[in-house]
Amino acid sequence: MEATIKDVARQAGVSTATVSRVINNTGGVRSDTVKRVMDAVKYVNYVPNIMARNLKTESSTIIGFVISNISNTHFTKMANKIESILREQGLNLIVCNTADDPNLELDHLQRMIAMHADGIILNTTCKNNDWICELSHKIPMVLVDRNITDPVFLGDFVGSNGYGGVMDLTKHLIEKGHRDIAIITSDLSTSTGRERLNGFSAAMRTIGIVVDDYYIYRYDSQHFSEEDGVAGCQYLMGLEKRPTAIVVINNEMTIGVYKYLHNNDISVPDDISVVSYGNINNSDLFRVEPTFATLNPNFIGEKAANLLLSRIEAPGRGNREIIFEPLLVVNESTKTL
Amino acid sequence: MEATIKDVARQAGVSTATVSRVINNTGGVRSDTVKRVMDAVKYVNYVPNIMARNLKTESSTIIGFVISNISNTHFTKMANKIESILREQGLNLIVCNTADDPNLELDHLQRMIAMHADGIILNTTCKNNDWICELSHKIPMVLVDRNITDPVFLGDFVGSNGYGGVMDLTKHLIEKGHRDIAIITSDLSTSTGRERLNGFSAAMRTIGIVVDDYYIYRYDSQHFSEEDGVAGCQYLMGLEKRPTAIVVINNEMTIGVYKYLHNNDISVPDDISVVSYGNINNSDLFRVEPTFATLNPNFIGEKAANLLLSRIEAPGRGNREIIFEPLLVVNESTKTL
DNA sequence: TTGTACGCGTTATCAT
DNA sequence: ATGATAACGCGTACAA
């Protein structure tokens, strides 16, 4: 079916070795034979078989970007940035979506290693930590957003200060006079989930409120999705005594919260204040612009790509961490009590 | 470095053939040897080399999804849907972003063919038509959104009726009394760009207006991006006599239009009416909900995935086309003159 | 039930 | 400057 290097060789009347030299331009071939080979390549429509090539060379030019939610613009913007940087180095980015399913994460990572990818940028589910720690010794790896704090892990991390960011958001509400402040958080087995909740708790402690498992205004959802935001908001709005403000710990869930409130004619910020950890795409066009803590996917993507490149150069180097400091952007979604 | 099938064989004290039989469970192996092999696999941490495997089997389980804009939720939602369908068949979706660059499109497609992908779902740049037509005879291919109307092309197409959709949008404006109607369109070498402009022209003809190259209210941008929407809007708002309404032919450009108008304190719909071809993510939260023609990425994704699956079964079958009929959703962005 | 041996398409080594 | 050939890791006849 597909033309192989042999077909080209036969067509050009040379050996496969020469063809190989030409298509990889290793040099040492007379210019007229180069031309003969090139013509033959065109003629038989030859495309080198990557499988076979990698089998020999023990390398691909593939970088895997494995993410938990391909519909979240936070990640797609990151993907854009990463791709543009890697492409300059002749590397090809491949995006894989785990949908936060640990099994899919394993699948994708297995495939990456099986393809002999040159590196991986991973937004992990945090459910395969041991396995990933082992993997990190075999392939250059950079984690984004969610960290793995295991001494065995070898690689870099780029994320944001979720503790400080959520603390700032919460303090902002406190300064506006709020006390009955709710939080919609998610999967606490992720580093981000824990950190952000801790930031909230720390801020609440300053006004003498303990946020524990029994804190009435706390909702721990399973995922970080819009649907989970809806569910969390529904729960909170169903309470006998409603909170006056909600802290939502990621952008997608905030959208869910906004939609629930809008669909149920609950006004922001008149009836309830809302703050979000992380930018929401196009939120400057929203009826009520959310107050949020900035998260910069371009920044994170750029750092991650560069860390990975330097790690590919020196795979054994020590772990590095880059933490983005979110800024508080105050908009219309919070009112003074 | 990496453990190979030989290491497993040595460790388990069997031949490589037996190991192969076990990991592919082809059967015909005593259960205790199966166990011995499995243990050895764990022990040496063996992952089969996909390159080598595919080199033998002449197949991968890879499906390429090559798109023009990974930041457009239209495509990421499609990706989610496609992935969930393909996964049931044990196929792995890989997403590649061309950013509407014909060279990147070639790169990605070359790599897909070189990886012996089992199929491709493509949102083409429409700049490599001849090459893609040839390619379509070598690998099962389904086009989404943008079509290639070349008799040589072998494959399926899933898209939407851009002609009718934009015509409906325009007629809606006409019925509201608008006459000075502008259009922001894009790259007319794409099938979608042409079609949608034609729909607009047809509607305008019903009120005796000719939309040609010199039609003052027409802006042809290069890409379909938000930035191009901004530029188009800026041009139109700079005209001596402004239009009273704008038809924008995709969702991203509409966002650009919205942002330009918002940033320049031009009110929608009081100062100008706007309609969009295609849904805008979260537009139900917008200050002014846009009137738009629906585009259903889930629908398109589902159809595309299923067409591809059936084409993989029978690669030579005749071309098929599925056209989604957009619905007009009237919201607040259009006012009666 | 298990093992031996060949070939997939490529690159790299060693001759020539 | 070019060619013959061994390897890469795997699956699979065929043999045992």
Side-chain angles (χ1 to χ4, degrees), chain A residues 17-31 33-34:
Chain A
T18 300
V19 176
S20 177
R21 281 188 269 262
V22 171
I23 59 177
N24 297 306
N25 52 66
T26 334
V29 185
R30 273 215 320 271
S31 64
T33 43
V34 168

Side-chain angles (χ1 to χ4, degrees), chain A residues 115-158:
Chain A
M115 290 171 95
H116 284 212
D118 290 342
I120 290 175
I121 299 179
L122 173 64
N123 170 240
T124 177
T125 64
C126 289
K127 300 288 187 308
N128 298 308
N129 288 4
D130 290 350
W131 193 84
I132 289 170
C133 284
E134 274 195 57
L135 184 64
S136 69
H137 289 264
K138 297 191 191 168
I139 183 169
M141 193 144 83
V142 175
L143 302 175
V144 290
D145 287 1
R146 301 185 188 161
N147 205 352
I148 297 179
T149 52
D150 184 318
V152 177
F153 178 75
L154 175 68
D156 307 308
F157 170 70
V158 187

Side-chain angles (χ1 to χ4, degrees), chain A residues 242-254:
Chain A
R242 286 182 177 175
T244 63
I246 309 180
V247 176
V248 195
I249 59 91
N250 94 323
N251 58 354
E252 291 279 303
M253 292 172 60
T254 303

Side-chain angles (χ1 to χ4, degrees), chain A residues 162-183 194-212 215 247 249 275 328:
Chain A
Y163 180 86
V166 173
M167 179 144 65
D168 289 350
L169 287 169
T170 312
K171 281 188 172 164
H172 172 71
L173 291 170
I174 291 172
E175 281 161 16
K176 288 223 162 195
H178 292 268
R179 290 300 176 267
D180 299 332
I181 306 174
I183 182 167
R194 281 194 308 275
E195 252 185 26
R196 296 174 194 179
L197 175 58
N198 289 341
F200 177 75
S201 303
M204 294 303 277
R205 259 200 307 278
T206 65
I207 51 168
I209 292 177
V210 177
V211 178
D212 58 14
Y215 179 64
V247 176
I249 59 91
V275 296
L328 185 66

Side-chain angles (χ1 to χ4, degrees), chain A residues 39-112:
Chain A
D39 288 346
V41 166
K42 285 253 160 147
Y43 185 75
V44 302
N45 220 318
Y46 170 66
V47 178
N49 183 326
I50 279 195
M51 306 294 177
R53 171 177 292 171
N54 293 348
L55 185 57
K56 263 312 268 190
T57 61
E58 302 268 286
S59 110
S60 61
T61 56
I62 294 172
I63 303 291
F65 185 35
V66 181
I67 55 180
S68 60
N69 181 0
I70 198 179
S71 293
N72 190 337
T73 50
H74 178 65
F75 294 116
T76 57
K77 287 183 175 176
M78 220 184 274
N80 259 330
K81 187 70 183 177
I82 292 172
E83 188 167 45
S84 68
I85 294 175
L86 294 183
R87 183 158 301 284
E88 287 175 16
Q89 312 298 321
L91 295 171
N92 297 100
L93 193 70
I94 276 179
V95 180
C96 301
N97 181 32
T98 68
D100 248 328
D101 177 337
N103 292 321
L104 289 194
E105 180 178 36
L106 276 182
D107 273 15
H108 282 304
L109 290 176
Q110 291 259 16
R111 199 151 36 79
M112 283 301 149

Side-chain angles (χ1 to χ4, degrees), chain A residues 241-282:
Chain A
K241 192 183 175 205
R242 286 182 177 175
T244 63
I246 309 180
V247 176
V248 195
I249 59 91
N250 94 323
N251 58 354
E252 291 279 303
M253 292 172 60
T254 303
I255 289 171
V257 167
Y258 255 63
K259 290 199 174 167
Y260 179 86
L261 294 174
H262 178 55
N263 292 336
N264 291 276
D265 289 320
I266 301 173
S267 163
V268 179
D270 289 339
D271 299 330
I272 190 149
S273 295
V274 177
V275 296
S276 166
Y277 185 71
N279 308 50
I280 296 166
N281 204 30
N282 302 327

